[in-house]
């Protein structure tokens, strides 16, 4: 079939109604074995669905079935590795290869198309390549390019969040999608987010985050940035949670109880997802124009809660900028150390 020929792809709901399935792909079908791939789509609150893939191998002689499920992160890693391997397969000789995607390097590294073409031209030059081979460690060069691309990705993510916050029309789903793609924004305390949302009957969280230290899961609850966070009672001279924040805190209390009971020894269908006295982070509202007394009030209200922290989108943005600056400084120090060595 020609690659440009249009293909009809059928997506239909599963019997459970929780996911949808796509057309299966027969990868191999011989007299001995059949291997097929079955894609399925996990809906996420009106945002783009998440793709997972089930690979099924059937031994036609014994009738034995073997299944493996790849989530979206697995598929992304596999796709990248296949693309790199195919690029290297076009070369005749063994050796160390630096595989770059110039079309991706441009927007991620925040450089112009002219710069990308210049890099591509340099890498295509035999003279340049021979000098690199003689004087530069290929591993160090790959690491340097990887760092540039990674920093560019983080910078683009920060810019995207800033633009989202400038648009008052954005809904919760916009920020949920951003946090799904950029779980690094919540710091080194978390490794990554899970594709699991449902933690109990009728309870679906915005994000489950895996703790770096323990591997246990915590909850992230996202509300809109145009919501009030805290209010001041001038009569009694105290600050208190707004109705929106109080409602979010109440939701988290129920989610935390449910997750603790359901996942203490692993969720029934996902035993690798465990939680024990989990914590929750609520992101809501803006604080860019707050004075110090109001910021101190939020800190005080947070300090008197157990297991739940409330932060604003501006505080999340500031945390992202700090992480980006820290990473940039670290990479600069590593380059300087390698040059002086």
């Amino acid at each position: 079939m020609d690659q440009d020929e249009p293909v009809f792809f059928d997506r239909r709901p599963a019997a459970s109604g929780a996911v949808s399935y796509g057309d299966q792909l027969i990868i191999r079908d011989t007299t001995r074995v059949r291997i097929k791939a079955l894609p399925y789509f996990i809906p996420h609150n009106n945002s783009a669905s998440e793709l997972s893939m089930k690979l099924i191998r059937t031994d036609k002689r014994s009738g034995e079935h073997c299944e493996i499920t790849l989530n979206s992160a697995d598929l992304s890693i596999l796709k990248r590795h296949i693309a790199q391997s195919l690029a290297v397969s076009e070369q005749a000789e063994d050796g160390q290869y630096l595989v770059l995607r110039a079309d991706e390097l441009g927007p991620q590294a925040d450089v112009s198309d002219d710069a990308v073409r210049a890099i591509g031209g340099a890498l295509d030059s035999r003279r340049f390549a021979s000098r690199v081979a003689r004087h530069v460690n290929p591993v160090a060069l790959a690491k340097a390019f990887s760092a540039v691309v990674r920093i560019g990705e983080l910078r683009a993510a920060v810019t995207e969040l800033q633009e989202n916050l400038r648009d008052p029309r954005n809904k919760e789903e916009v920020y949920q999608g951003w946090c799904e793609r950029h779980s690094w924004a919540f710091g080194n305390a978390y490794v990554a987010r899970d594709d699991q949302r449902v933690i109990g009957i009728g309870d679906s969280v915005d994000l489950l985050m895996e703790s770096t230290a323990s591997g246990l899961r915590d909850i992230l609850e996202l509300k809109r940035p145009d919501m009030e966070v805290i209010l001041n009672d001038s009569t009694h001279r105290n600050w208190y949670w707004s109705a929106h924040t109080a409602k979010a805190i109440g939701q988290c209390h129920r989610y935390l109880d449910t997750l603790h009971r359901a996942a203490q020894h692993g969720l029934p269908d996902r035993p690798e997802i465990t939680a024990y006295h989990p914590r929750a982070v609520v992101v809501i509202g803006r604080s860019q124009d707050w004075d110090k007394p109001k910021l101190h009030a939020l800190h005080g209200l947070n300090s008197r809660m157990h297991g739940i922290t409330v932060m604003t989108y501006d505080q999340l943005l500031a945390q992202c900028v700090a992480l980006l600056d820290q990473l940039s400084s670290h990479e600069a120090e590593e380059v300087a150390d390698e040059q002086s060595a």
Side-chain angles (χ1 to χ4, degrees), residues 143-144 147-148 151 324-340:
K143 183 179 179 181
V148 168
I151 292 172
L324 178 57
D325 290 343
Q326 182 180 5
L327 179 61
S328 300
S329 299
H330 176 71
E331 294 298 336
E333 289 175 2
E334 283 200 346
V335 170
D337 290 342
E338 290 176 1
Q339 288 177 343
S340 61

Side-chain angles (χ1 to χ4, degrees), residues 110-128:
D110 195 24
V111 295
S112 67
D113 291 340
D114 291 339
V116 173
R117 282 193 290 270
I119 292 172
L123 292 174
D124 195 44
S125 165
R126 290 187 178 182
R127 181 179 178 185
F128 176 81

Side-chain angles (χ1 to χ4, degrees), residues 7-63:
V7 176
F8 290 98
F9 190 95
D10 187 22
R11 173 175 167 177
R12 54 201 175 276
S16 66
V19 298
S20 299
Y21 285 91
D23 293 331
Q24 68 178 15
L25 170 67
I26 304 298
I27 300 174
R28 183 191 304 171
D29 193 4
T30 67
T31 57
R32 296 184 175 183
V33 67
R34 168 179 285 188
I35 301 175
K36 62 183 180 181
L38 180 64
Y40 60 95
F41 307 89
I42 306 170
H44 291 324
N45 297 333
N46 297 324
S47 61
S49 299
E50 183 172 346
L51 172 66
S52 290
M53 185 80 68
K54 182 177 289 186
L55 301 179
I56 306 170
R57 182 186 185 277
T58 303
D59 189 320
K60 293 184 177 180
R61 295 167 297 178
S62 65

Side-chain angles (χ1 to χ4, degrees), residues 64-83:
E64 181 181 354
H65 289 269
C66 178
E67 296 185 4
I68 184 172
T69 299
L70 302 177
N71 61 29
S72 60
D74 299 332
L75 290 171
S76 178
I77 293 171
L78 181 61
K79 176 185 175 183
R80 183 167 63 249
H81 188 70
I82 290 174

Side-chain angles (χ1 to χ4, degrees), residues 188-201:
N188 296 329
Y190 296 104
V191 179
R193 57 98 182 174
D194 288 302
D195 57 0
Q196 182 77 16
R197 297 293 183 80
V198 177
I199 59 174
I201 299 175

